[in-house]
Amino acid sequence: MLLSKGIYSGIMLLEVLLVLGTLLIYFLFSKKKEETLPFKDGWWGRGQKPLTKEDSSIRPFKVETTEEELSDLFRRLDQARFTEPLENSCFHYGTNSVHLRKIVSYWKNQFNWKKQVEILNKYPQFKTKIQGLDIHFVHVKPPRLPEGRAAKPLLMVHGWPGSFYEFYKIIPLLTDPASHGLGDEHIFEVICPSIPGYGFSEAPHKKDFNSVSAASVFYELMLRLGFNEFYIQGGDWGWLICTNLAQIAPNHVKGLHLNMVSVSKLGLTHLLSVLLGQYFPGLFGFQDEDVRRMFPFLKKGLYRILSESGYAHIQATKPDTAGCGLNDSPVGLAAYILEKFSSWTDIEFQNLEDGGLERKFSLDDLLTNIMIYWVSGCIVSSMRFYKENLQKGIGTQKHEKLTVQVPTGIASFPNEILHIPQAWAKKKYTNIVSFHFMPRGGHFAAFEEPELLAKDILQFVDKVEKEQLWKKKGE
Amino acid sequence: MLLYWLRSGHKIKTIDMGDGWWGPGERPLKGKEDASIRPFKIETSDKEIEDLHQRLDRFRFTPHVEGAAFHYGFNSTYLRKVVAYWRNQFDWRKQVEVLNKYPHFHTTIEGIDIHFIHVKPSYVPHGRAVRPLLLVHGWPGSFYEFYKIIPLLTEPAKHGLNEGDVVFEVICPSIPGYGFSEAPHQKEFDSIATARIFHKLMNRLGFREYYIQGGDWGSRITTNMAQMLPQSVKGLHLNLVFIARQSLGRLICIMLGAYVPWLVGFTREDVRRFYPYMQKNVYDLLRESGYMHIQATKPDTAGCGLNDSPVGLAAYILEKFSTWTDKSFLRQDDGGLESKYSLDELLTNVMIYWVTSSIVPSMRYYKENFSKDPDLSAHNRVGVYVPTGIAAFPQEIAHVPRVWAKDVYKNIITYSYMPRGGHFAAFEEPKLLAQDIMQFVQKVEQL
């Protein structure tokens, strides 16, 4: 009797151990891998890769314009065909054409492209060939460096429908913080490249140029410029490219700063936290501000994604169709791009007849960004980036399954399209050093709130440097 | 409790007709609406053609990536060829004459000018009945899609079609906001409003009972017409069926249908067209619905550049005529366009959108319909009881088996698996479609 009981409990114990063992193995293998993302080499030029070595010189570059370019633009603006908006539609149907007419009038009569080109050229720009493409970048060194100090290299990556120009207001705050009341502990030299297919960077001639390709190209750029260790910052596509760069070269990236985060692996916890997070925030690691920004979830999450992602859907599937007319109609291009500068700065701007465009930006700034797309003819190639990144679906690619161990700083702006709480971000970014709720600002952080963003970057870098955090990363 | 349950299960038999005002400003309080029917001729001018040519000449072209075919959208190398044809060979004046070969009219309904063509048979053999037939187009089509099928319906004998004793007089309106119909000035102009306006149109033309046919938006509008005034609709014929997809029952159907189709009411042809499910119904739809998503949310933005760049407009519209005619055309450098259509026909349809500046209002229709009803299913709860005929074309974007169509269309008289053809049935396979319409009507007449 006793013996059979003993055998019985023995079997039970074995069963328990087996279950525990399986669970343990499951957890060990299901944990996101900490391996690095492989560097993605490629050849994106026309035709076959030549046998000769690629020219790796860095050539100075200046933006130029011609009378012909201007008169062609004016003719198109003059002959633009508008469609009357529906009564009382504000910006609910997209860019309101009555307001668009006013902008076009300014564009024709007051906007001075020649003057703006001089502004663009105030920072030194260069081009260099990497993986078969001419890569454009801005490289600004500090105007003055105190004795014995070195500038910290900082790579800043733009997104869509932005450009390197978005950083023009924040650059001086980072290269010359002292003159702007931001102290002089950390002084940066800033590198702002244009993503291949955007602005003055050549567009890839081959398929499959995705964020990992861009990250690899920018990694080569930084190495070519002689930097062994550097900081990186980005939002929109810049968020993903910088994330990939941190995954490819964690030993070179001292710190990763983001003004936008997105998650692509959604699981049961996410679903539960969306359903219950409002009522039990603590349970899901939500702070009060998280709750304020995310709920009601249907309105701020699901419906917002649906109502704002039409452009991404068409660009991820038919970019050559979507961009075709926009490369031929500057007014169409402006309408398409300005709509984002309205809703992504503040979703409530849709309720305004003028889309709130000039509340945060000047028309000169907005039009200069648009002109970059127009004069370079890059709208179609800029849209292709969506297809190359999203065509296989969200959450399916290798880099989406890998984590980031590099020290990370996140500036979470209140009017960003979607709010991602730290509780969700830290599953991917395992080494979040700072996460701050910014008091105001939307998607185009550097453009709209350069000072707030600069301050957050500085405090992040300060933390990383003081605690020498980049040395503490695991191998 | 019982009463509550009974009432909640009771389906509404018809959709409310309602009323509307789509003209600018406030609806006038006094005076009856002008109900005259005014003949109309499409016109063009040197100025219009000159302006078009200038825009074609200064089109800014973007090279595609190597090996793109039509996978990234309209292939820009092929687009250059189309533009060269458009600029140098396409004759808009001649096409306008072609368009004017059928009588056009305008009449004002609910504050906006409704355009339609009305074609009567030139010769009616003794003893034959002439039935009125309303044909409704969709996006990015127009009344012009019906030009090849109209003679087959008004004079079948002449074209070797002898399906019974019926001959039709055909009415093809333009949906408000499309082509030569005025665009609504107010928000919320949806398919219900369109259905009501088309009923009023048929009424004004003196018809009490008529047949109606449609695909794409035409399918939804004619369905709404049947739901709204079943007593006026002798028969409803569709070449596309919109069906709400979700429900647990459907999901089980989908899962079992691949293995035991007979158990869930699928035929072998259903299975061939429907599976692999994820590929054909989920991935393909996701890949092809970007336009729908942006038009249903930001139509004014999406259409702005297209109303200013005729080449952009052509690329956007012709991409659909490629992929929705045959999905395999994606792999061809020229999108297979000229294998089924002539450039003259394709460009004439594009020109209708161009000369009327109707691309933006045509896109707004998506927002107005989807905003209230994201999966277009609310009206599926109202059954369709009029005799219905369905022509299921093999290359249609999504296949709906008869067993699912029955959920909404309670009175399916004919359901035909067409041997070939895609989304633009009347344009691409007019004879097949005409034959199916006629054999459907013949059956209805015998009921």
Side-chain angles (χ1 to χ4, degrees), chain A residues 47 76 79 81 84 87-88 93 95 205-206 306 313 320-321 327-329 339 350 374 384 388, chain B residues 25 55 58 60 63 66-67 71-72 74 187 286 293 298 300-301 307-309 319 354 364 368:
Chain A
R76 292 172 195 258
Q79 296 180 352
R81 299 185 350 157
E84 288 313 298
E87 296 181 10
N88 300 315
Y93 285 69
T95 301
H205 300 260
K206 306 266 191 293
L306 282 176
H313 191 167
D320 285 26
T321 298
N327 198 42
D328 199 33
S329 163
E339 187 215 281
Q350 285 181 2
W374 178 256
R384 281 184 201 141
E388 306 299 20
Chain B
R55 290 173 194 259
R58 61 175 190 239
R60 299 186 348 154
E66 293 167 14
H71 294 294
Y72 284 70
F74 205 102
K187 296 187 232 177
L286 273 177
H293 193 166
K298 314 280 182 186
D300 285 28
T301 298
N307 197 44
D308 198 33
S309 163
E319 183 216 281
W354 177 253
R364 283 183 193 143
E368 306 298 24

Side-chain angles (χ1 to χ4, degrees), chain A residues 8-203:
Chain A
Y8 185 68
S9 355
I11 292 173
M12 279 232 353
L13 191 59
L14 202 61
E15 281 177 8
V16 172
L17 281 175
L18 214 62
V19 172
L20 281 177
T22 326
L23 282 173
L24 189 66
I25 294 170
Y26 172 75
F27 278 116
L28 277 177
F29 284 112
S30 73
K31 225 176 69 157
K32 276 209 179 110
K33 298 198 181 69
E34 288 197 4
E35 54 181 271
T36 52
L37 185 64
F39 175 84
K40 188 177 174 194
D41 200 358
W43 168 258
W44 310 100
R46 241 185 277 269
Q48 289 255 4
K49 181 176 185 174
L51 297 166
T52 52
K53 214 170 171 280
E54 185 166 64
D55 166 23
S56 59
S57 63
I58 297 170
R59 297 155 268 127
F61 169 77
K62 265 191 157 18
V63 181
E64 280 167 357
T65 184
T66 60
E67 282 309 322
E68 203 197 314
E69 182 173 79
L70 281 171
S71 60
D72 171 78
L73 172 69
F74 288 151
R75 195 177 336 125
R76 292 172 195 258
L77 295 180
D78 276 332
Q79 296 180 352
R81 299 185 350 157
F82 295 92
T83 306
E84 288 313 298
L86 292 176
E87 296 181 10
N88 300 315
S89 53
C90 296
F91 263 61
H92 292 127
Y93 285 69
T95 301
N96 183 296
S97 66
V98 167
H99 188 65
L100 185 62
R101 259 192 235 258
K102 296 190 186 130
I103 294 181
V104 170
S105 171
Y106 179 89
W107 200 353
K108 266 188 333 206
N109 304 312
Q110 274 126 290
F111 179 74
N112 186 343
W113 178 230
K114 287 189 181 148
K115 177 169 140 255
Q116 291 305 118
V117 164
E118 278 175 45
I119 292 177
L120 285 176
N121 286 330
K122 78 179 179 198
Y123 293 137
Q125 295 166 70
F126 305 88
K127 279 194 175 176
T128 185
K129 254 196 165 12
I130 303 178
Q131 295 187 19
L133 297 173
D134 239 357
I135 307 299
H136 160 265
F137 63 99
V138 174
H139 186 178
V140 188
K141 298 192 187 178
R144 80 198 111 258
L145 265 182
E147 189 66 42
R149 293 274 299 279
K152 300 182 175 71
L154 171 63
L155 174 79
M156 301 187 84
V157 187
H158 68 88
W160 187 97
S163 61
F164 65 94
Y165 181 61
E166 284 180 83
F167 299 117
Y168 269 48
K169 285 183 279 199
I170 201 178
I171 286 173
L173 307 183
L174 297 165
T175 53
D176 191 12
S179 302
H180 297 90
L182 294 171
D184 71 345
E185 275 265 28
H186 309 286
I187 303 176
F188 298 94
E189 64 179 296
V190 178
I191 298 97
C192 303
S194 294
I195 300 170
Y198 287 70
F200 304 108
S201 277
E202 191 177 349

Side-chain angles (χ1 to χ4, degrees), chain A residues 221-441:
Chain A
L221 174 66
M222 293 305 267
L223 292 179
R224 187 173 294 182
L225 290 172
F227 302 123
N228 199 35
E229 284 185 328
F230 44 88
Y231 286 92
I232 59 185
Q233 201 284 333
D236 198 87
W237 283 128
W239 142 71
L240 185 57
I241 294 170
C242 288
T243 295
N244 287 162
L245 183 45
Q247 290 168 319
I248 290 173
N251 295 324
H252 295 266
V253 178
K254 289 177 95 171
L256 163 70
H257 186 278
L258 307 168
N259 54 285
M260 183 186 113
V261 172
S262 187
V263 288
S264 51
K265 293 236 90 175
L266 296 170
L268 190 60
T269 3
H270 294 101
L271 182 62
L272 284 174
S273 50
V274 155
L275 292 170
L276 303 170
Q278 237 175 333
Y279 313 106
F280 309 107
L283 192 60
F284 298 99
F286 288 170
Q287 301 182 52
D288 283 343
E289 183 65 13
D290 287 323
V291 174
R292 199 190 68 83
R293 292 186 183 188
M294 286 173 76
F295 296 93
F297 189 76
L298 270 185
K299 173 170 172 237
K300 296 194 184 182
L302 190 60
Y303 288 161
R304 182 152 312 170
I305 300 176
L306 282 176
S307 73
E308 294 306 314
S309 59
Y311 81 99
H313 191 167
I314 198 175
Q315 288 168 206
T317 51
K318 314 282 183 188
D320 285 26
T321 298
C324 181
L326 304 184
N327 198 42
D328 199 33
S329 163
V331 172
L333 179 68
Y336 202 92
I337 292 180
L338 289 173
E339 187 215 281
K340 302 313 178 195
F341 279 86
S342 166
S343 354
W344 295 358
T345 295
D346 189 333
I347 196 87
E348 300 298 321
F349 281 177
Q350 285 181 2
N351 303 320
L352 302 173
E353 275 178 30
D354 66 350
L357 280 167
E358 290 173 75
R359 289 197 186 189
K360 287 294 201 127
F361 310 108
S362 72
L363 276 187
D364 278 346
D365 280 339
L366 292 171
L367 289 170
T368 299
N369 181 59
I370 290 167
M371 284 297 280
I372 290 171
Y373 279 85
W374 178 256
V375 303
S376 62
C378 71
I379 187 66
V380 172
S381 49
S382 77
M383 291 181 168
R384 281 184 201 141
F385 202 56
Y386 282 76
K387 182 176 198 298
E388 306 299 20
N389 282 305
L390 299 171
Q391 65 185 333
K392 299 196 183 84
I394 298 174
T396 57
Q397 303 195 67
K398 182 180 174 132
H399 68 81
E400 289 172 294
K401 300 181 182 135
L402 297 179
T403 57
V404 176
Q405 290 90 50
V406 160
T408 305
I410 297 173
S412 179
F413 285 83
N415 289 319
E416 184 57 88
I417 312 162
L418 273 186
H419 175 69
I420 302 292
Q422 185 172 359
W424 289 7
K426 69 181 189 201
K427 297 210 171 99
K428 169 107 179 169
Y429 302 90
T430 58
N431 192 357
I432 297 178
V433 163
S434 75
F435 184 104
H436 290 133
F437 294 111
M438 308 306 282
R440 60 185 178 274

Side-chain angles (χ1 to χ4, degrees), chain B residues 135-404:
Chain B
L135 299 176
V136 187
H137 69 87
W139 186 97
S142 60
F143 65 93
Y144 180 60
E145 285 179 82
F146 298 118
Y147 270 48
K148 286 182 284 194
I149 201 179
I150 287 172
L152 308 182
L153 297 165
T154 53
E155 291 162 345
K158 240 194 200 169
H159 297 90
L161 295 168
N162 254 317
E163 315 284 345
D165 297 318
V166 191
V167 149
F168 298 97
E169 64 178 296
V170 177
I171 299 97
C172 304
S174 293
I175 299 169
Y178 288 68
F180 299 98
S181 277
E182 189 176 347
H185 300 257
Q186 310 295 335
K187 296 187 232 177
E188 293 182 25
F189 184 83
D190 61 2
S191 61
I192 305 275
T194 317
R196 181 179 61 242
I197 285 182
F198 288 170
H199 272 308
K200 287 185 179 177
L201 172 66
M202 293 304 268
N203 216 318
R204 195 172 285 184
L205 290 172
F207 302 118
R208 295 283 163 266
E209 274 192 325
Y210 31 90
Y211 288 92
I212 57 184
Q213 200 285 333
D216 198 84
W217 280 127
S219 162
R220 175 134 167 95
I221 295 165
T222 51
T223 297
N224 286 162
M225 288 177 78
Q227 292 166 320
M228 193 181 271
L229 277 187
Q231 62 270 34
S232 292
V233 180
K234 286 197 88 171
L236 165 69
H237 186 279
L238 307 169
N239 53 287
L240 173 69
V241 175
F242 283 104
I243 279 282
R245 290 167 174 279
Q246 42 291 70
S247 90
L248 188 59
R250 284 273 165 81
L251 196 59
I252 295 176
C253 235
I254 291 166
M255 292 195 291
L256 291 177
Y259 308 103
V260 281
W262 45 270
L263 189 64
V264 295
F266 285 359
T267 64
R268 197 176 293 154
E269 184 64 14
D270 283 331
V271 173
R272 202 188 66 79
R273 293 184 182 197
F274 203 61
Y275 294 98
Y277 184 77
M278 283 307 277
Q279 178 65 44
K280 292 192 181 181
N281 294 279
V282 181
Y283 296 148
D284 283 3
L285 282 179
L286 273 177
R287 188 191 64 216
E288 296 307 320
S289 55
Y291 80 99
M292 187 186 292
H293 193 166
I294 198 175
Q295 288 168 206
T297 51
K298 314 280 182 186
D300 285 28
T301 298
C304 180
L306 305 184
N307 197 44
D308 198 33
S309 163
V311 181
L313 179 67
Y316 201 93
I317 290 178
L318 295 180
E319 183 216 281
K320 302 312 179 198
F321 278 85
S322 164
T323 321
W324 296 357
T325 294
D326 188 328
K327 286 180 195 158
S328 73
F329 285 176
L330 283 173
R331 292 181 244 132
Q332 297 186 29
D333 285 338
D334 65 356
L337 271 173
E338 292 174 77
S339 58
K340 287 283 196 148
Y341 310 106
S342 73
L343 277 184
D344 276 345
E345 302 174 320
L346 293 169
L347 290 172
T348 299
N349 182 59
V350 172
M351 284 297 281
I352 289 171
Y353 280 88
W354 177 253
V355 301
T356 56
S357 279
S358 54
I359 188 66
V360 170
S362 77
M363 291 182 167
R364 283 183 193 143
Y365 204 57
Y366 283 76
K367 185 178 197 312
E368 306 298 24
N369 280 303
F370 284 105
S371 298
K372 277 192 253 170
D373 192 2
D375 65 330
L376 296 180
S377 71
H379 301 120
N380 290 343
R381 278 185 256 114
V382 176
V384 177
Y385 294 88
V386 310
T388 304
I390 297 173
F393 285 83
Q395 284 296 331
E396 185 55 89
I397 308 164
H399 174 68
V400 176
R402 178 178 188 151
V403 65
W404 285 12

